[in-house]
Amino acid sequence: IFQHARRKVIGFLQNITYNEWLPAMGVHLPEYTGYNPNVDPSIFNIFSAAAFRLGHTLVNPQIVRLTNEGDTIQQGSITLKDAFFNPLVLLTGGGIDPYFKGMATQTQQNLDCKVIDDLRNFLFGSPGAGGLDLAAININRGRDRGLPDYNTVRSNFGLDRATQFRDISIDTDVIAGMAEVYGSIDNIDPWVGMLAEDHLESALFGPTIMTIMIRQFSALREGDRFYFEVDPGLSIEEAQQIKQTKFVD
């Protein structure tokens, strides 16, 4: 019973990921044609070390806590930096429910070259104690993991190399900042270059992250012989039920 329930839960998460979350960001994969034993479903180094770190620029500095009526609870919202390793806020802030209600209404920030102060100076520190810089960690992670420069990543995925900084972004402040820090277009760290790209139409990010996301999530789906639509442990009716179940359900 447990193993069968586990298959269904995995299926629900897969369906939400592929049919709701990815399209919401503008990621539209080719039509699924079934399991392909020749596809390697492992995680790309460039995906885990750079492209999928896109979420770090979407984070808000405040965690909204709401009542059933949609009003801020009496104790107020809480800053992200004050929430790190601070489980007592659950006891003093009305339990977990106000957080879920806040998450259901709060809109994420835009994807850009900006990271909030809570992640730049207070990451994982005790409240008020300071902490690490997530942007610096991301840049150094790419170098530690042997990622090539941004332009080489683009070339490796079949995209045109940028010949000048304005090929990446039309934002003059972004262009000036990258030119000052990197000097050459071929010195840009991949995570920084990906965040700086102008967004594709109706998408959360630019062409490099988009290309990597499509390749990675296609491989994860096509190389998975237990993907819910072809999982032999699920009946046709169960697979159909999963496909009709949305995140809101």
Side-chain angles (χ1 to χ4, degrees):
I1 293 173
F2 171 81
Q3 293 295 343
H4 194 77
R6 181 173 179 270
R7 285 178 188 267
K8 294 184 72 172
V9 169
I10 291 172
F12 289 131
L13 294 175
Q14 288 174 331
N15 184 56
I16 290 165
T17 298
Y18 282 93
N19 295 319
E20 292 190 84
W21 182 65
L22 288 175
M25 294 188 291
V27 181
H28 300 284
L29 304 185
E31 186 175 350
Y32 180 60
T33 57
Y35 171 59
N36 184 345
N38 298 314
V39 172
D40 180 358
S42 58
I43 299 297
F44 306 156
N45 192 25
I46 187 65
F47 174 82
S48 66
F52 208 48
R53 307 282 167 169
L54 61 91
H56 296 165
T57 181
L58 309 177
V59 179
N60 285 297
Q62 279 211 327
I63 299 174
V64 175
R65 302 187 291 185
L66 300 179
T67 66
N68 286 343
E69 290 72 37
D71 301 318
T72 303
I73 65 172
Q74 184 177 359
Q75 297 89 333
S77 299
I78 183 173
T79 62
L80 181 62
K81 66 182 178 64
D82 289 334
F84 290 138
F85 293 107
N86 188 11
L88 288 178
V89 296
L90 292 178
L91 299 178
T92 60
I96 197 70
D97 282 6
Y99 293 89
F100 284 137
K101 291 161 193 163
M103 290 178 200
T105 60
Q106 193 170 13
T107 303
Q108 68 186 30
Q109 293 198 357
N110 202 13
L111 187 139
D112 50 31
C113 286
K114 299 174 182 177
V115 178
I116 60 171
D117 191 53
D118 304 62
L119 298 181
R120 290 292 311 276
N121 295 297
F122 298 97
L123 186 69
F124 302 144
S126 301
L132 305 174
D133 182 343
L134 186 57
I137 291 172
N138 284 345
I139 292 168
N140 281 301
R141 177 189 293 109
R143 298 175 182 183
D144 288 342
R145 297 266 288 269
L147 297 183
D149 64 274
Y150 162 77
N151 242 347
T152 299
V153 170
R154 285 184 58 88
S155 178
N156 287 345
F157 279 89
L159 300 171
D160 293 335
R161 297 178 70 92
T163 59
Q164 47 195 346
F165 289 103
R166 66 171 175 264
D167 291 340
I168 303 173
S169 173
I170 60 173
D171 188 319
T172 54
D173 291 335
V174 170
I175 294 171
M178 287 196 297
E180 179 182 357
V181 170
Y182 290 109
S184 167
I185 191 77
D186 292 322
N187 290 337
I188 301 174
D189 289 285
W191 182 69
V192 175
M194 291 177 196
L195 295 186
E197 286 184 342
D198 291 328
H199 296 183
L200 295 170
E201 186 176 357
S202 301
L204 181 65
F205 28 68
T208 306
I209 293 181
M210 179 65 75
T211 300
I212 295 170
M213 291 283 281
I214 290 174
R215 297 269 190 95
Q216 180 67 83
F217 280 96
S218 293
L220 283 168
R221 183 181 62 177
E222 294 165 14
D224 180 4
R225 68 184 187 276
F226 294 110
Y227 184 69
F228 81 93
E229 292 189 59
V230 294
D231 187 341
L234 295 172
S235 68
I236 295 175
E237 292 75 20
E238 286 174 318
Q240 192 61 32
Q241 177 209 11
I242 290 169
K243 201 161 189 178
Q244 292 172 350
T245 303
K246 301 192 176 206
F247 186 41
V248 67
D249 299 317

